[in-house]
Amino acid sequence: MPDQRRDDAATAADDHPTDSEPQLPAPSLTAQGLDSSEPRQQGDLMAGPSHDPSLYRDRDVVPVRRALVSVSDKTDLLSLAEALAEAGVEIVSTGSTAATIRDAGFAVTDVAAVTGFPESLDGRVKTLHPAVHAGLLADLRLAHHENQLADLGIQPFELVVVNLYPFVETVASGAQGDDVVEQIDIGGPAMVRASAKNYANVAIVVSPESYGSVIEAIRAGGTSLAQRRELAARAFAHTAEYDRAVATWFADETLGEDVDLPAHLTIRAERLSTLRYGENMHQRAAIYTRTGGHGIAQATQLQGKEMSYNNYVDADAALRAAFDLVKPAVAIIKHANPCGIAVSAPNALDPIASAHLRAHACDPVSAFGGVIAANRKVTLKMAENLRDIFTEVIVAPDFEPEALEVFRLKNNLRVLKLPDDWKQEPMDVRLISGGLLLQDADRFPDDIESVATDWELVSGERPEADAMTNLIFAWKTCRAVKSNAIVLAKDSATVGIGMGQVNRVDSCRLAVERAGDRVQGAVAASDAFFPFADGPQVLIDAGVSAIVQPGGSVRDEEVVKAARDAGVTMFFTRERHFFH
């Protein structure tokens, strides 16, 4: 159970980098209300009091005589309590934090003894009291603050140790409704923010990771101004991330899918690791994780060399392609484009191994040094198929132990296991100069077969079930190919892919060239309409039997005529799938 300690609930660990680490920032993108370069008139924009600078007394090292401790994460709590007791620091605490410290034999003052008011409303009200917050907010650099605090009979705090109820963890557990709401902290963030604002006098600690440096400072005579300022920065980041998590949950719960895109957007992530370099060796790079994330950034690396920037990009692209498909499927990616995508052959004894062999057969040359994603557990048979194929990365939901034994013979192969709650992101974000773009992710429903019943047949006869399955497969895999995209498929496996060309007819030629003799009787998919009949004509002349495309060109009539003249089936989907 969470710590019954103050006025309500949530938490996140302090994962900020130390000063000794190379610094790449955690991205925090937010709409700003004021331009700090504009001149400010005190009477117009400053709501708080202002003081003559000469009234402030210098205060660098602040000895710790009184500490307020209220934590849900009890990690190293007793080590901290022991150090405070040894230094003669009075410990004021609440709920189970106080009980834990007292049971260990250390003196502790209950917050109710400070406020003269009992904890109430199931612990919702504990610390929201002037006797607490005056002790947190008094700026003792000002003589009149010191005098007023003495007149009120309130003692200041020099150290505050607070972390919040586990709101993010509660949401991640699948809890709903009131169970989540009860983890929304009120008093905790109030104490953290008050102490951080008053960093000139108070050290605020929001993570056990900071205990060691604070204990050293106390033993050395007190915390320094520089240390308190750094702790305050971490504290404000801590509460900002917490507030974002609460706001996101409320938006998801109450606003629904049809709500307008947000007027203000904040994205916060914590640096997981610094990478060797970026897309190229002269570029710095790091990978960041978002609280509550469930994607490639949360994957567990089971073996192999350190992941690179390009490895992450290609692995994510491979997952996008493989998990678009419901049947056991494998996607092989090179430079964010597919070399091959396939589902298993019917009645395959080892479906995922079958899917890999069929995907690899599409373009074995380009698959050299590729990145592979499987949407099922990787088996021993699939691992054996990869034994003599140079592969950079393989990512999957899981791996058979015997498969991992085979992979261990390939020391450099990076093997990534997806988190159990992996799922595709609902939104896409892209940075542009001066801002960013946000859009709904381009997703297919799992029951795309039912969607295909709405396709418009504009040429030829409706194919038999097997051919329709091929067309649906080609249409789904086309979404994973960079525009202009053309996919040729047979038996639910790609046989030729034309990608990234600046005109569609060149993509058609490239796909046909890659397919070779396999183009005969294959089906084709185009991610956008054909602006002229020349593209379809390339496919028709090569022997394609059916084409699926969005339609919508001003020259649709001549495009359809080319298909009709050749007796080739053509469908319009009325939905485009550009991918840039």
Side-chain angles (χ1 to χ4, degrees):
M1 293 294 293
D3 178 18
Q4 299 298 315
R5 65 190 193 288
R6 48 175 198 287
D7 321 80
D8 260 349
T11 193
D14 184 322
D15 292 326
H16 289 263
T18 64
D19 289 341
S20 61
E21 295 177 300
Q23 296 298 301
L24 280 169
S28 182
L29 311 175
T30 182
Q32 298 294 325
L34 290 174
D35 183 347
S36 61
S37 66
E38 295 179 357
R40 291 167 51 134
Q41 301 298 320
Q42 280 190 339
D44 293 336
L45 296 179
M46 294 185 64
S50 60
H51 300 288
D52 183 340
S54 66
L55 295 178
Y56 287 98
R57 299 173 292 189
D58 289 337
R59 204 164 195 230
D60 184 0
V61 176
V62 174
V64 177
R65 300 183 177 89
R66 195 171 189 236
L68 177 57
V69 183
S70 183
V71 295
S72 61
D73 181 356
K74 303 295 193 294
T75 303
D76 293 332
L77 172 62
L78 294 182
S79 296
L80 175 66
E82 181 179 14
L84 294 176
E86 288 176 352
V89 176
E90 179 191 2
I91 303 174
V92 178
S93 190
T94 63
S96 66
T97 303
T100 300
I101 295 172
R102 186 177 290 115
D103 290 347
F106 302 112
V108 62
T109 302
D110 290 317
V111 74
V114 174
T115 64
F117 194 89
E119 296 184 8
S120 57
L121 305 179
D122 296 324
R124 285 191 170 201
V125 179
K126 306 183 195 72
T127 58
L128 290 175
H129 192 282
V132 172
H133 280 268
L136 301 177
L137 285 166
D139 189 346
L140 299 183
R141 295 175 302 168
L142 298 169
H144 69 279
H145 273 218
E146 185 176 18
N147 294 335
Q148 189 172 7
L149 209 61
D151 291 342
L152 293 169
I154 295 174
Q155 298 181 56
F157 292 99
E158 294 84 23
L159 173 66
V160 175
V161 182
V162 172
N163 52 60
L164 312 178
Y165 284 176
F167 178 86
V168 171
E169 292 82 354
T170 300
V171 172
S173 74
Q176 300 291 322
D178 288 343
D179 289 338
V180 176
V181 171
E182 282 304 316
Q183 299 304 312
I184 298 175
D185 206 325
I186 304 301
M191 289 190 291
V192 171
R193 289 174 61 84
S195 304
K197 175 180 179 176
N198 197 25
Y199 72 86
N201 302 277
V202 181
I204 172 63
V205 177
V206 294
S207 169
E209 293 180 4
S210 299
Y211 290 176
S213 61
V214 170
I215 289 171
E216 289 179 9
I218 291 171
R219 289 171 175 166
T223 61
S224 69
L225 180 61
Q227 182 181 29
R228 295 193 300 275
R229 185 186 293 113
E230 179 184 344
L231 291 170
R234 295 185 178 192
F236 279 123
H238 185 68
T239 57
E241 174 65 11
Y242 161 74
D243 287 340
R244 184 206 61 79
V246 173
T248 298
W249 180 80
F250 265 97
D252 291 344
E253 290 290 309
T254 63
L255 300 180
E257 295 182 357
D258 296 330
V259 69
D260 290 339
L261 293 174
H264 304 279
L265 182 64
T266 299
I267 300 173
R268 180 164 181 82
E270 299 297 329
R271 193 179 67 195
L272 178 64
S273 66
T274 300
L275 304 178
R276 286 177 297 160
Y277 50 81
E279 199 164 8
N280 299 290
M281 285 185 285
H282 61 277
Q283 294 171 269
R284 295 186 307 156
I287 180 169
Y288 294 79
T289 62
R290 292 186 296 104
T291 301
H294 36 66
I296 190 67
Q298 286 73 38
T300 301
Q301 185 168 351
L302 303 180
Q303 73 159 62
K305 294 167 61 177
E306 176 187 348
M307 287 284 286
S308 72
Y309 180 96
N310 293 329
N311 290 155
Y312 278 115
V313 171
D314 284 350
D316 208 35
L319 289 173
R320 184 177 191 263
F323 278 83
D324 265 350
L325 302 165
V326 178
K327 296 177 181 178
V330 167
I332 306 172
I333 299 292
K334 194 83 165 286
H335 298 299
N337 264 310
C339 311
I341 306 171
V343 300
S344 61
N347 304 315
L349 295 178
D350 190 324
I352 202 64
S354 167
H356 169 254
L357 287 177
R358 286 153 53 81
H360 183 78
C362 178
D363 188 354
V365 174
S366 299
F368 179 85
V371 171
I372 296 175
N375 69 359
R376 297 289 196 278
K377 179 186 288 187
V378 171
T379 61
L380 171 61
K381 178 60 177 174
M382 180 176 170
E384 289 175 337
N385 291 343
L386 280 165
R387 191 189 298 269
D388 297 323
I389 300 172
F390 172 53
T391 301
E392 290 276 1
V393 182
I394 181 167
V395 55
D398 206 352
F399 298 84
E400 289 184 352
E402 297 83 1
L404 293 176
E405 288 298 323
V406 172
F407 288 150
R408 287 191 183 98
L409 300 176
K410 301 165 71 74
N411 294 333
N412 293 334
L413 173 65
R414 303 161 179 89
V415 178
L416 270 63
K417 180 181 181 297
L418 291 172
D420 293 338
D421 61 349
W422 183 87
K423 60 182 178 180
Q424 299 197 52
E425 296 289 349
M427 305 295 292
D428 289 334
V429 180
R430 177 171 294 190
L431 290 177
I432 58 173
S433 56
L436 56 82
L437 298 171
L438 177 70
Q439 67 172 354
D440 293 324
D442 187 9
R443 299 280 296 279
F444 283 119
D446 289 343
D447 64 339
I448 189 172
E449 285 75 9
S450 66
V451 176
T453 61
D454 296 329
W455 291 355
E456 180 184 357
L457 180 64
V458 294
S459 173
E461 297 182 356
R462 178 173 287 273
E464 298 295 329
D466 287 347
M468 281 302 299
T469 297
N470 273 326
L471 279 168
I472 292 167
F473 169 84
W475 182 240
K476 292 190 80 169
T477 55
C478 194
R479 189 192 75 89
V481 181
K482 293 294 183 74
S483 302
N484 289 306
I486 299 292
V487 167
L488 302 179
K490 263 185 177 179
D491 301 323
S492 296
T494 57
V495 295
I497 302 173
M499 77 289 282
Q501 303 303 302
V502 293
N503 66 74
R504 197 157 296 276
V505 70
D506 278 351
S507 289
C508 292
R509 293 183 181 120
L510 180 58
V512 167
E513 179 186 344
R514 294 284 176 84
D517 294 341
R518 295 172 296 178
V519 71
Q520 290 291 328
V523 301
S526 174
D527 66 334
F529 65 64
F530 290 99
F532 300 96
D534 54 357
Q537 197 63 55
V538 169
L539 302 176
I540 292 167
D541 292 345
V544 164
S545 62
I547 300 171
V548 58
Q549 57 129 331
S553 167
V554 295
R555 296 181 178 84
D556 273 351
E557 187 175 337
E558 67 179 69
V559 170
V560 171
K561 183 179 183 300
R564 286 175 178 167
D565 290 347
V568 168
T569 295
M570 180 175 285
F571 284 97
F572 283 177
T573 67
R574 302 300 183 187
E575 183 175 75
R576 188 180 71 188
H577 289 287
F578 271 161
F579 180 33
H580 297 110

